[in-house]
């Protein structure tokens, strides 16, 4: 049997795709043949144009995923606009940086609610559809801080470690029902999320020194793994957190 990365006819929902990693993933899934629903709080005009250039159609569902209120509507609108849901990429995420002594409850709740709570409940809502059809792929965007503690980002480390845990927990229940659940842990990728680190000369130097490949990652570096995990080529992979990090975790 030929190994296939083809996503023709598949229907994918990607959160937080107006920029960065989510944008690169949405465009790559479209290039592989999927119909795309985008979901986020900022209008993804550039991403819509990039997808249109691939010949695919995309739809935009406006929703603020800092809480779980819009989740049922997001799945209903996805199904109404692209005909169903075969692939969910939980990419939307935020980070808050502060010293431990100063860290606030607001910075804790905002990150955990967006990066972990909404990810779980959106997955649950998508899984209800995927279980009915007996197939589906859920891809969570984790982090190196699913494995490490990081510096000055305790709520982010907690949320992303939680993403690794919930990826395995969901996989254990959904894999027998035909749905694979995996996560991608990006290394240091040049996006808005890491703008403060890139601008900090000391941290930038420390980070680059530890990456064997010797450069910051680009959003496109994450997209190939997302296509793979969305495709039939990964049908026997589930419950995994795959690092795409230029070699960082190997050091
Ligand atoms: P980014 O450019 O800041 O993108 C984050 C995306 O999430 C944006 O589309 C953002 O929308 C969206 N988002 C944030 N809060 C939201 C909310 N309440 N409701 C809906 N959408 C929301 O950063 P990125 O680096 O591409 O991050 C994408 C994912 O990768 C995140 O989960 C991040 O934690 C993870 N990650 C990034 C790195 C890295 O080095 N860059 C490393 C590991 C993991 P707005 O534009 O409206 O804010």
């Amino acid at each position: 049997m030929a190994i296939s990365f083809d996503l023709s006819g598949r229907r994918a929902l990607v959160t937080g795709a107006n920029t960065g990693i989510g944008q690169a993933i949405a465009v790559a899934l479209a290039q592989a043949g999927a119909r795309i629903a985008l979901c986020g709080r900022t209008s993804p005009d550039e991403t819509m144009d990039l997808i249109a250039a691939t010949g695919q159609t995309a739809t935009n569902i406006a929703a603020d995923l800092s809480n779980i209120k819009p989740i049922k509507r997001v799945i209903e609108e996805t199904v109404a606009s692209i005909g169903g849901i075969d692939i969910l990429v939980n990419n939307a995420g935020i980070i808050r940086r502060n010293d431990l002594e100063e860290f606030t409850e607001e910075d804790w709740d905002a990150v955990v609610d967006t990066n972990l709570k909404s990810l779980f409940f959106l997955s649950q809502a998508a899984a209800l559809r995927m279980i009915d059809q007996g197939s589906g792929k859920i891809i969570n965007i984790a982090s190196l801080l699913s494995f490490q503690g990081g510096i000055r980002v305790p709520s982010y480390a907690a949320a992303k470690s939680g993403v690794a845990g919930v990826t395995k927990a969901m996989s254990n229940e959904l894999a027998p029902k035909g749905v694979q659940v995996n996560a991608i842990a990006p290394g240091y990728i040049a996006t808005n999320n890491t703008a403060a680190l890139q601008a900090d000369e000391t941290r930038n130097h420390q980070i680059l020194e530890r990456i064997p490949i010797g450069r910051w990652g680009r959003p496109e570096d994450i997209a190939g793994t997302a296509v793979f995990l969305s495709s039939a080529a990964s049908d026997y992979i589930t419950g995994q957190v795959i690092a795409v990090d230029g070699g960082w975790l190997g050091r």
Side-chain angles (χ1 to χ4, degrees), residues 15-23 25 39-43 63-67 90-95 97 110 114-115 118-119 140-145 156 160 184-195 197-198 216-217 219 222 244:
T15 69
N18 60 309
T19 181
I21 292 170
Q23 179 180 76
I25 290 175
C39 164
R41 60 184 177 179
T42 303
S43 192
D64 179 352
L65 297 172
S66 63
N67 64 79
N90 281 304
N91 168 78
I94 57 169
I95 193 163
R97 296 188 170 84
T114 303
N115 294 13
S118 289
L119 173 147
N140 298 322
I141 303 304
S143 166
L144 295 178
L145 301 199
Y156 188 82
K160 293 296 187 179
I184 301 171
Y188 285 86
I189 312 298
T191 67
N192 299 337
N193 175 292
T194 51
L197 287 182
Q198 295 168 66
W216 281 76
I222 307 303
V244 181

Side-chain angles (χ1 to χ4, degrees), residues 16-206:
N18 60 309
T19 181
I21 292 170
Q23 179 180 76
I25 290 175
V27 172
L29 296 184
Q31 283 167 342
R35 264 177 280 163
I36 310 290
L38 309 172
C39 164
R41 60 184 177 179
T42 303
S43 192
D45 299 334
E46 191 182 50
T47 311
M48 298 283 274
D49 289 346
L50 291 167
I51 291 173
T54 72
Q56 295 295 329
T57 50
T59 189
N60 176 42
I61 302 164
D64 179 352
L65 297 172
S66 63
N67 64 79
I68 66 171
K69 287 191 201 92
I71 278 174
K72 192 163 167 277
R73 173 180 62 82
V74 168
I75 297 298
E76 284 168 0
E77 287 187 24
T78 300
V79 172
S81 59
I82 58 170
I85 179 162
D86 304 297
I87 300 157
L88 167 64
V89 182
N90 281 304
N91 168 78
I94 57 169
I95 193 163
R96 298 280 173 87
R97 296 188 170 84
N98 208 344
D99 294 335
L100 184 144
E101 296 91 325
E102 313 285 332
F103 214 81
T104 65
E105 185 178 4
E106 202 277 319
D107 282 344
W108 181 273
D109 287 344
V111 173
V112 173
D113 285 355
T114 303
N115 294 13
L116 182 58
K117 185 175 179 181
S118 289
L119 173 147
F120 173 75
F121 284 101
L122 190 59
S123 301
Q124 180 193 56
L128 292 172
R129 305 271 174 177
M130 293 172 173
I131 290 167
D132 279 350
Q133 67 200 18
S135 66
K137 302 273 192 178
I138 297 176
I139 300 161
N140 298 322
I141 303 304
S143 166
L144 295 178
L145 301 199
S146 301
F147 305 99
Q148 304 178 315
I151 300 169
R152 300 179 72 246
V153 287
S155 60
Y156 188 82
K160 293 296 187 179
S161 296
V163 169
V166 88
T167 296
K168 295 171 212 164
M170 293 195 291
S171 169
N172 292 340
E173 289 196 57
L174 293 175
K177 298 171 181 172
V179 180
Q180 291 89 53
V181 187
N182 292 291
I184 301 171
Y188 285 86
I189 312 298
T191 67
N192 299 337
N193 175 292
T194 51
L197 287 182
Q198 295 168 66
D200 179 332
E201 213 173 301
T202 310
R203 290 287 288 124
N204 187 47
H205 177 72
Q206 288 168 342

